[in-house]
Amino acid sequence: MQTKLTQLLNIKYPIIQAPMFLVSNVAMVTEAMKGGIAGCIPALNYRTLDELRVALRELKANKVEGGSFGFNLIVNKSNIKYKGQLEVICEEGCDFIITSLGSPEETINQAHAVGIKVFCDVTDLRFAQKVEQLGADAAIAVNNEAGGHRGKLSPQELTTQLSKALTIPVISAGGVGCKSDIDKMLSYGAEGVSVGSPFIASIEAGVTDEYKQACVDYGEKDIIMTERISGTPCTVINTPYVQKIGTKATWLENVLNKNKSLKKWVKMVRFSIGMKATENAAKKATYKTVWVAGPSIEHTKEILPVKDIVENLVN
């Protein structure tokens, strides 16, 4: 399974274990590297820059031949920790950075100066062409089957469109839960895939057993969109609690979002509240369960070690 992505990251298989808020951790990425794929962690999973620095050093110590590791940065104004996170990552070093939700220009410039590759989340051709012009090393095509914040286009439409228009590699994100899904994405022109939700139900994932078991018990038909986490539509498992609170933003948020001077602050507050709710659901056994996942949990039949999940994806 040699592609431009395997060449870029010196990995055995063209797979990135996607960065997942509160789920991804050093143990998961270490096992991903041992399995011959790349692993990525959101920098926001660490409360302090010192904790982020420790994680970077642990992963460097755990690095193995045929594996690769990186970090995800939210690069818009809602992430007030962004500049400090970027500085620490560039100081310590890693194989790649994935940028989300904003302009990657500053990240690309600083990362490239120290030899770190930058992949950028995109949901349409216009933004994909922009990040290519800025010097991105690859575009991650976030389609409408991705977990969390997803795009509007189908995997086939988005991946085919980008692979024909761009000169940089396209990595398809969303809708991958087994090897046949990977083969399908590669047939659309992707040079690799980003896989998240199947790894939630891993032994190493840093979330509750209830969250992991939910990914086993629920399936594709149970994934719905909600605006109640970050203000931006996000996919979650349709638990009884989600059904109770509804999936739409409140009337007050809708009113405030129409005010240009207040819109940014409303989004920042909603983002903060939503992330706290997601943290509680991930870390505590509570009836208030807001579990983020994508439709590819359809293929999750049991809680397994990361190495077994990788084996299932490539065989």
Side-chain angles (χ1 to χ4, degrees):
M1 296 178 74
Q2 294 300 297
T3 69
K4 290 180 181 177
L5 179 61
T6 62
Q7 294 167 8
L8 264 178
L9 295 181
N10 191 29
I11 53 180
K12 188 174 180 181
Y13 303 108
I15 302 170
I16 296 175
Q17 183 189 76
M20 292 177 285
F21 183 59
L22 300 173
V23 178
S24 305
N25 58 30
V26 168
M28 289 177 68
V29 173
T30 296
E31 291 304 308
M33 289 193 289
K34 290 178 181 178
I37 69 172
C40 189
I41 304 175
L44 280 174
N45 279 9
Y46 301 97
R47 292 182 180 275
T48 69
L49 296 180
D50 285 341
E51 290 175 355
L52 175 61
R53 193 182 298 276
V54 168
L56 279 153
R57 291 177 178 177
E58 286 183 23
L59 287 168
K60 284 193 291 184
N62 295 346
K63 180 82 182 286
V64 296
E65 185 70 24
S68 179
F69 75 93
F71 282 81
N72 171 229
L73 285 176
I74 303 297
V75 295
N76 67 12
K77 294 179 181 178
S78 67
N79 180 17
I80 59 175
K81 298 179 180 180
Y82 155 63
K83 290 185 182 295
Q85 291 168 340
L86 176 59
E87 183 178 351
V88 168
I89 291 170
C90 289
E91 286 175 358
E92 294 295 333
C94 65
D95 297 305
F96 64 98
I97 292 172
I98 294 176
T99 66
S100 304
L101 304 176
S103 172
E105 184 171 9
E106 182 179 26
T107 300
I108 290 170
N109 292 338
Q110 292 193 31
H112 281 180
V114 293
I116 299 173
K117 296 177 177 64
V118 180
F119 305 156
C120 302
D121 281 351
V122 300
T123 56
D124 59 43
L125 177 59
R126 181 186 63 82
F127 192 59
Q129 290 174 323
K130 185 173 182 179
V131 302
E132 180 179 46
Q133 291 168 1
L134 291 173
D137 297 286
I140 298 184
V142 184
N143 60 55
N144 66 0
E145 293 184 20
H149 298 104
R150 66 186 189 183
K152 296 180 180 180
L153 300 179
S154 70
Q156 181 173 6
E157 185 177 4
L158 182 60
T159 305
T160 302
Q161 187 181 85
L162 298 192
S163 63
K164 288 181 177 180
L166 305 180
T167 59
I168 58 175
V170 175
I171 302 162
S172 184
V176 173
C178 59
K179 186 178 185 298
S180 63
D181 290 334
I182 296 176
D183 293 339
K184 186 166 57 178
M185 301 306 169
L186 297 182
S187 76
Y188 298 152
E191 297 290 341
V193 294
S194 176
V195 183
S197 297
F199 288 103
I200 299 173
S202 65
I203 299 295
E204 295 84 358
V207 296
T208 63
D209 289 340
E210 288 81 6
Y211 190 174
K212 298 176 186 182
Q213 190 61 42
C215 292
V216 174
D217 295 340
Y218 291 87
E220 181 178 4
K221 69 181 186 305
D222 302 303
I223 301 299
I224 61 169
M225 299 291 290
T226 181
E227 299 173 1
R228 297 298 295 271
I229 293 182
S230 63
T232 302
C234 178
T235 62
V236 298
I237 298 174
N238 192 22
T239 62
Y241 179 65
V242 169
Q243 294 170 28
K244 178 181 177 182
I245 64 173
T247 58
K248 299 298 182 183
T250 66
W251 69 268
L252 180 58
E253 288 171 341
N254 285 330
V255 170
L256 294 176
N257 275 328
K258 293 177 182 177
N259 186 309
K260 290 184 178 180
S261 61
L262 295 175
K263 184 177 181 179
K264 180 181 76 171
W265 302 106
V266 173
K267 284 187 174 295
M268 288 179 68
V269 170
R270 166 44 64 194
F271 183 82
S272 177
I273 294 172
M275 291 305 98
K276 187 62 180 177
T278 307
E279 180 177 3
N280 287 337
K283 300 294 185 181
K284 301 174 183 177
T286 169
Y287 79 94
K288 292 186 176 180
T289 49
V290 183
W291 290 321
V292 177
S296 58
I297 60 170
E298 179 71 25
H299 300 277
T300 300
K301 304 304 180 185
E302 58 183 316
I303 300 170
L304 295 169
V306 164
K307 66 181 181 65
D308 290 353
I309 297 173
V310 173
E311 282 293 319
N312 290 340
L313 285 170
V314 300
N315 292 314

